[in-house]
């Protein structure tokens, strides 16, 4: 009997001390659901998700949960998003997507195909000035436009050319470029798949943008108190994503980054149960896909001085299955990187830690720039990566096998760091 009791206690202790896959999956499912409409700014998607996250942090036992507001200007697409090519209706997110800075536009336009084999920009501008192609949409392969960017920039300006917009072909599945829509440009760019017809005559569009000025969103900051308050650990993940593409379509963002958000909530639960030595902050950022706006704001207005951070862990996209774990480490974090490598070699969590140079691509960057020791984990180039920034980044397409190794690598690191 006593033995049985001890066994039960041991099982309970292991459960409390371990990652919680069921909880993790539940959070990813919740945040990528239609309730939050892609966690963008249209229909307050991100803010609704932020409120849910704040409640979840409180539920798992965080001592303090605060919302830190900040404002941004952002272009959104909550309204009409209709495109037909020669009368054939195109599906938003599947057959086409748009650039984040697109304006509203309604009408039917001729299509003008750029002759890339006999490329002659003078002829293109002359053709587009002729009555035959007045106000046309210019069709071209994106990589080609990239090589001739000076010419194609002119095609995007009203004063340089009278075309109405651009259609760029790009590999499928189509990615929504980014949410850097802090301005609205003069002409729309529509992205289509490589199988876009080579000889269509017309395009009909009815697209509406809504530019939100000084829109208020917020970071969610949860604190789990340790026994020491002179230093702290910080866990970060962005919870915002790309939002909506018209009335019915949204970007679920399960891998990017419901997965990282779910991981830091379960880490908060773990440390609320297993009280840490040092204070811990769990920060779910908004505004990441709008160019690191939430993390920049926090780095300028931190809850505890940045100099007190022993180590910061940023998780952005961990729901993939690459056995090699991509990471970036700040200069100040490099001495301790050896400890990550040592633990990983001992435990075999990942085949390798694939360290890359710092890039301004996620929320650790504003901290790395301010000399905070930090590491960024992102599992990319596995089977889920093809869905990055597409409407297929769903709960169903997420892969959960790298959650436990990531969780354990971090908790082992903290328990061993001096
Ligand atoms: Zn992300």
């Amino acid at each position: 009997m006593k033995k049985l009791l001890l066994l039960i206690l041991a099982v309970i202790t292991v459960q409390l001390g371990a990652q919680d896959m069921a909880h993790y999956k539940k959070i990813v499912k919740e945040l990528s659901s239609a309730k939050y409409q892609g966690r963008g700014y249209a229909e307050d998607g991100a803010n609704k998700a932020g409120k849910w996250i704040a409640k979840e942090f409180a539920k798992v036992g965080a001592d303090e949960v605060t919302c830190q507001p900040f404002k941004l200007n952002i272009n959104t697409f909550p309204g009409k998003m209709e495109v037909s090519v020669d009368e054939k209706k195109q599906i938003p997110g599947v057959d086409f997507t748009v650039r984040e800075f697109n304006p509203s536009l309604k009408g039917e336009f001729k299509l003008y195909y750029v002759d890339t084999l006999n490329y002659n920009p003078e002829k293109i501008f002359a053709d587009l000035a002729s009555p035959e192609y007045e106000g046309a949409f210019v069709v071209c392969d994106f990589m080609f436009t990239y090589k001739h960017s000076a010419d194609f920039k002119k095609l995007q300006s009203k004063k340089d050319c009278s075309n109405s917009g651009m259609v760029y072909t790009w590999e499928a599945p189509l990615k929504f470029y980014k949410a850097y829509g802090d301005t609205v440009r003069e002409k729309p760019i529509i992205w289509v798949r490589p199988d876009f017809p080579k000889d269509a005559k017309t395009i009909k569009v009815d697209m509406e943008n809504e530019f939100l000025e000084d829109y208020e969103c917020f970071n969610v900051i949860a604190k789990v108190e340790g026994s020491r308050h002179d230093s702290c650990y910080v866990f970060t993940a962005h919870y915002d994503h790309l939002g909506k593409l018209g009335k019915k379509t949204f970007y679920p963002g399960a891998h990017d980054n419901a997965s990282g958000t779910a991981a830091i909530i379960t880490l908060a639960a773990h440390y609320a149960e297993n009280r840490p030595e040092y204070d811990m902050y769990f920060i779910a950022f908004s505004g990441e896909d709008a160019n690191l706006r939430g993390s920049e704001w926090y780095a300028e207005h931190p809850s505890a001085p940045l100099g007190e951070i022993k180590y910061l862990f940023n998780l952005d996209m961990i729901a993939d299955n690459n056995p090699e774990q991509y990471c970036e480490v700040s200069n100040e974090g490099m001495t301790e990187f050896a400890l990550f490598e040592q633990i990983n070699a001992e435990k075999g969590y990942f085949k390798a830690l694939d360290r890359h140079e710092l890039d301004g691509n996620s929320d650790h960057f504003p901290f790395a720039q301010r000399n905070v020791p930090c590491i960024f984990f992102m599992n990319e180039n596995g089977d889920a990566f093809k869905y990055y920034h597409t409407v297929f980044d769903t709960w169903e397409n997420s892969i959960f096998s790298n959650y436990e190794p990531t969780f354990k690598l971090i908790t082992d690191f903290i328990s061993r760091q001096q």
Side-chain angles (χ1 to χ4, degrees):
M1 187 65 193
K2 203 174 167 194
K3 250 190 187 164
L4 184 66
L5 188 68
L6 277 176
L7 189 68
I8 291 169
L9 277 176
V11 169
I12 290 171
T13 315
V14 165
Q15 289 226 316
L16 289 178
Q19 67 293 334
D20 185 342
M21 179 65 100
H23 189 202
Y24 170 73
K25 284 186 176 175
K26 214 180 106 197
I27 301 169
V28 176
K29 196 171 187 180
E30 171 76 21
L31 291 176
S32 55
S33 73
K35 273 188 220 172
Y36 308 108
Q37 291 291 301
R39 305 187 306 280
Y41 308 97
E43 290 181 24
D44 280 331
N47 287 350
K48 283 178 191 161
K51 282 177 194 156
W52 185 88
I53 291 163
K55 276 192 198 143
E56 199 66 12
F57 272 129
K59 227 198 243 176
V60 303
D63 301 301
E64 273 172 37
V65 182
T66 48
C67 294
Q68 179 187 49
F70 63 95
K71 286 179 180 175
L72 44 77
N73 295 338
I74 190 90
N75 196 29
T76 63
F77 303 101
K80 285 189 180 158
M81 187 54 66
E82 292 165 18
V83 174
S84 303
V85 176
D86 281 353
E87 302 294 324
K88 191 173 178 285
K89 226 176 145 115
Q90 309 290 303
I91 304 166
V94 178
D95 296 323
F96 77 96
T97 182
V98 299
R99 278 302 300 245
E100 66 274 27
F101 41 67
N102 274 15
S104 294
L105 187 68
K106 184 178 178 172
E108 187 164 4
F109 308 91
K110 284 184 181 158
L111 288 169
Y112 177 87
Y113 289 79
V114 171
D115 183 351
T116 53
L117 294 176
N118 309 292
Y119 183 62
N120 179 348
E122 285 82 33
K123 183 174 182 307
I124 293 171
F125 285 99
D127 285 348
L128 291 168
S130 74
E132 196 190 345
Y133 288 110
E134 205 197 337
F137 261 68
V138 176
V139 187
C140 194
D141 169 60
F142 170 68
M143 291 316 287
F144 188 87
T145 74
Y146 193 71
K147 270 186 240 149
H148 301 273
S149 59
D151 298 334
F152 283 87
K153 242 184 209 140
K154 278 191 189 165
L155 292 170
Q156 289 167 40
S157 126
K158 275 193 173 161
K159 103 178 152 15
D160 292 326
C161 191
S162 63
N163 63 313
S164 296
M166 317 291 295
V167 172
Y168 288 164
T169 53
W170 183 242
E171 63 190 84
L174 290 169
K175 291 175 173 52
F176 185 94
Y177 208 72
K178 265 283 182 182
Y180 295 173
D182 57 354
T183 51
V184 177
R185 298 213 188 147
E186 292 181 334
K187 299 176 187 176
I189 294 177
I190 300 171
W191 298 80
V192 297
R193 298 192 313 212
D195 59 358
F196 187 80
K198 302 282 180 282
D199 53 1
K201 297 281 181 282
T202 61
I203 186 165
K204 207 193 257 176
V205 305
D206 192 356
M207 301 190 293
E208 294 173 335
N209 78 313
E210 191 183 340
F211 188 72
L212 307 175
E213 234 175 297
D214 279 337
Y215 179 82
E216 189 170 298
C217 39
F218 56 89
N219 299 325
V220 183
I221 306 163
K223 184 181 181 187
V224 171
E225 276 198 29
S227 45
R228 287 178 63 172
H229 312 296
D230 52 327
S231 292
C232 61
Y233 285 103
V234 179
F235 305 78
T236 66
H238 74 89
Y239 70 88
D240 65 289
H241 191 52
L242 301 167
K244 290 171 72 85
L245 184 67
K247 286 179 188 163
K248 291 187 192 142
T249 306
F250 68 92
Y251 289 84
H255 178 32
D256 184 14
N257 183 32
S259 69
T261 309
I264 69 165
I265 295 172
T266 62
L267 280 157
H270 169 75
Y271 286 110
E273 288 285 352
N274 305 274
R275 285 286 154 170
E277 183 181 2
Y278 293 96
D279 285 347
M280 291 189 166
Y281 291 90
F282 302 85
I283 312 172
F285 290 123
S286 191
E288 193 270 355
D289 271 314
N291 211 5
L292 314 184
R293 299 294 297 277
S295 47
E296 275 287 348
W297 183 265
Y298 180 90
E300 284 298 308
H301 309 87
S303 305
L306 297 186
E308 290 180 4
I309 299 176
K310 268 178 86 66
Y311 222 90
L312 179 147
F313 313 90
N314 181 39
L315 304 179
D316 190 356
M317 298 167 54
I318 61 163
D320 206 347
N321 60 356
N322 191 335
E324 293 190 6
Q325 177 65 60
Y326 177 104
C327 56
E328 292 174 22
V329 181
S330 65
N331 290 339
E332 293 71 17
M334 273 311 291
T335 10
E336 302 283 35
F337 183 61
L339 181 55
F340 281 109
E341 295 219 281
Q342 190 192 327
I343 295 166
N344 191 56
E346 270 173 36
K347 303 278 183 80
Y349 292 140
F350 294 98
K351 210 169 121 195
L353 298 179
D354 181 20
R355 190 177 68 79
H356 288 243
E357 289 307 307
L358 279 174
D359 194 2
N361 56 356
S362 188
D363 292 314
H364 58 296
F365 193 65
F367 298 92
Q369 283 179 310
R370 291 167 176 83
N371 310 316
V372 172
C374 60
I375 192 162
F376 164 41
F377 289 121
M378 168 172 69
N379 200 264
E380 66 165 10
N381 294 329
D383 293 327
F385 191 62
K386 57 181 172 290
Y387 304 125
Y388 167 72
H389 282 203
T390 76
V391 293
F392 306 106
D393 180 7
T394 58
W395 145 261
E396 289 80 8
N397 284 336
S398 297
I399 301 167
F400 300 109
S401 53
N402 276 329
Y403 160 66
E404 291 191 10
T406 309
F407 186 106
K408 286 179 178 167
L409 183 59
I410 292 171
T411 50
D412 285 0
F413 174 87
I414 290 171
S415 63
R416 288 209 212 165
Q417 199 191 15
Q418 297 303 310

